[in-house]
Amino acid sequence: MDATTAPHRIPPEMLQYGEENHIFELMQAMWLCKHLNTNLLTRQNLIGAELSQLAAEARKYDQKLKKVPDTLLISLIQERLAREDCVKKGWILDGMPETREQVLRLQTLGVAPRHVIVLNAADTVLIERNVGKRVDPVTGEVYHTTFDWPPEPEVQNRLVEPEGISELETAQKLMSYHRNIVRIIPCYPKILKTISADQPCVDVFYQALTYVQTRHRSNAPFTPRVVLCGPVGSGKSLQASLLAQKYGLVNVCCGQLLKEAVADKSKFGELIQSFFEKEVTVPDTIVLKVLTERMDQQDCLLKGWVLHDFPRDLDQATTLSSMGYGPNRVFFLNVPLDSVMERLTLRRTDPVTGERYHLLYKPPPTVEIQARLMQKPKDSEEQVRLKMDLYYRNCAELEEFYDQAIAVNGDQDPYTVFEYLDSGIINPLPKKTP
């Protein structure tokens, strides 16, 4: 990744440090953020957000239990990543995720970093660094009794030892970290790099910077240009995210592009905004201009792309191909109507915390929360049926147009679906028998 190409719309990097060493990791993350002009996301600044109801809820848990539930923490991350500065500049996620379960939740939401860094050092080194940590209560500056002691006697006298950094407490945190990191590492194949933290900070920084500025070589035998078709609720967004992560593709979501155009106040943004306000479909001519403008950018040309939410009918597919943006892999995610209805019509949102639930797969934990849950209008049975009817009316023509498309059963575990998609990219297309 070239830092000069900012803003980065796909998250440029994630620093996976865990609980090992708060001084060292935060320093590296801050340096990277300053150099890359991106956003630093830590557990502390997520929970401390003043205008977020989710953050207020998280603070209650943190003050009472010294721990925030995974579902709430992941919702906080998702809320923060949706803000305009993260969309434009990208982000560095420091110290999170801490467990494999958190990783899988983030991946399910489509949060896929380009780079993951693990800083490693011997436990004895980490314990020495942590127990020597001291904080200036006036300025908030962090010092160390061995490595970074302030020269001013006045500052020395007022330094205090933070809670929870004794040798025993640090050792307990390290035991928990080691249990979790061995399960986290396999979740990020091909994009994870381990760097020794037992060396000067500047050396660690330049190794990390060099890594996040590299482009991963794709595992695909060609430059993939993938189109994912399927009804609403078939899991296209998740599969696109997984494909983008594995093959280094650009994840092109048509709906997201339109929202970004509005947020950026681009030349098409005002036009699109008027259609959004009227809650009517944006004309194909405008959609195609926004879409092709994105697909003409260098990263799409060099890395390939995975497109979803477009095309939705034969006219759109024909126009897209005639303009030179034809895919070399097309997948149809087939999901029966009953399964789609079950996935979408049972979704609910807590208006107080913003937490999302599913009455079957992820029911609310208390009766109080269940009583206040709300259903989004787009998830009503009537709206879902309308969208499904529209998809089925256009599906046959799309399948005929993309005659080498691969049909995949989308009504199964998402990672099983991904294995079929992965196989369809790696292996040659089956030859059509006359």
Side-chain angles (χ1 to χ4, degrees), residues 247-391:
Y247 292 108
L249 308 180
V250 179
N251 188 347
V252 183
C253 174
C254 190
Q256 184 64 25
L257 284 180
L258 298 179
K259 293 176 183 177
E260 288 173 1
V262 173
D264 292 344
K265 298 180 180 178
S266 68
K267 57 183 177 181
F268 299 115
E270 294 183 4
L271 287 174
I272 297 170
Q273 177 67 30
S274 64
F275 291 102
F276 280 0
E277 291 173 351
K278 297 174 185 175
E279 297 185 353
V280 296
T281 305
V282 180
D284 287 354
T285 52
I286 298 177
V287 174
L288 281 164
K289 286 180 180 178
V290 174
L291 188 60
T292 54
E293 185 179 84
R294 178 66 186 93
M295 295 169 78
D296 280 336
Q297 293 182 21
Q298 190 176 24
D299 56 348
C300 282
L301 298 174
L302 293 177
K303 299 178 181 179
W305 41 262
V306 52
L307 172 64
H308 51 113
D309 281 347
F310 195 92
R312 297 184 178 183
D313 57 42
L314 180 59
D315 289 340
Q316 292 177 349
T318 304
T319 305
L320 192 66
S321 292
S322 67
M323 296 174 70
Y325 303 96
N328 48 31
R329 289 293 187 275
V330 178
F331 297 96
F332 281 86
L333 303 182
N334 295 328
V335 181
L337 175 61
D338 291 346
S339 295
V340 171
M341 297 298 288
E342 182 181 278
R343 290 182 182 185
L344 300 185
T345 61
L346 298 181
R347 295 195 300 197
R348 298 292 187 272
T349 303
D350 185 342
V352 175
T353 65
E355 180 71 19
R356 297 177 182 178
Y357 295 97
H358 191 281
L359 299 183
L360 183 60
Y361 304 132
K362 185 188 171 185
T366 66
V367 176
E368 179 186 0
I369 294 177
Q370 184 170 2
R372 68 182 186 226
L373 293 183
M374 298 180 64
Q375 182 186 49
K376 292 184 178 180
K378 69 175 184 178
D379 290 337
S380 68
E381 184 173 339
E382 180 184 3
Q383 288 297 315
V384 174
R385 286 189 182 277
L386 285 173
K387 291 179 181 178
M388 290 295 290
D389 289 343
L390 180 61
Y391 172 76

Side-chain angles (χ1 to χ4, degrees), residues 6 10 24 28 40 43 52 73-74 110 115 135 151 171 189 220 227 242 266 270 282 324 336 351 379 389 391 416:
I10 295 180
F24 199 78
Q28 298 299 325
L40 176 62
R43 185 177 182 274
S52 168
L73 182 63
I74 299 304
H115 301 83
V135 178
V227 166
L242 294 174
S266 68
E270 294 183 4
V282 180
D379 290 337
D389 289 343
Y391 172 76
T416 303

Side-chain angles (χ1 to χ4, degrees), residues 40-175:
L40 176 62
L41 278 62
T42 67
R43 185 177 182 274
Q44 288 71 27
N45 63 32
L46 287 174
I47 294 175
E50 295 182 357
L51 302 178
S52 168
Q53 290 184 332
L54 289 174
E57 186 78 12
R59 285 194 293 272
K60 293 178 182 177
Y61 279 103
D62 191 52
Q63 293 167 3
K64 185 177 181 180
L65 305 174
K66 302 298 181 183
K67 184 179 180 181
V68 177
D70 282 358
T71 52
L72 185 54
L73 182 63
I74 299 304
S75 295
L76 269 174
I77 294 173
Q78 185 183 24
E79 178 185 68
R80 182 67 182 88
L81 295 183
R83 288 175 55 180
E84 186 176 358
D85 57 343
C86 282
V87 173
K88 286 185 174 181
K89 295 183 178 181
W91 43 264
I92 293 177
L93 189 56
D94 173 40
M96 299 172 288
E98 297 175 323
T99 65
R100 175 179 171 83
E101 289 70 27
Q102 291 180 2
V103 173
L104 296 179
R105 285 177 182 270
L106 287 171
Q107 290 180 338
T108 301
L109 293 171
V111 178
R114 282 184 179 177
H115 301 83
V116 178
I117 296 175
V118 175
L119 296 185
N120 270 346
D123 285 359
T124 52
V125 173
L126 298 173
I127 290 172
E128 180 187 5
R129 287 177 175 173
N130 210 37
V131 298
K133 181 179 178 181
R134 297 294 184 271
V135 178
D136 185 340
V138 176
T139 65
E141 290 289 326
V142 179
Y143 296 94
H144 195 276
T145 55
T146 304
F147 308 119
D148 184 23
W149 193 244
E152 303 87 353
E154 180 185 356
V155 177
Q156 294 175 9
N157 292 333
R158 68 177 184 236
L159 294 183
V160 296
E161 180 179 320
E163 295 182 2
I165 66 166
S166 69
E167 185 171 343
L168 177 60
E169 290 169 309
T170 303
Q172 290 174 340
K173 290 179 180 179
L174 283 170
M175 287 178 62

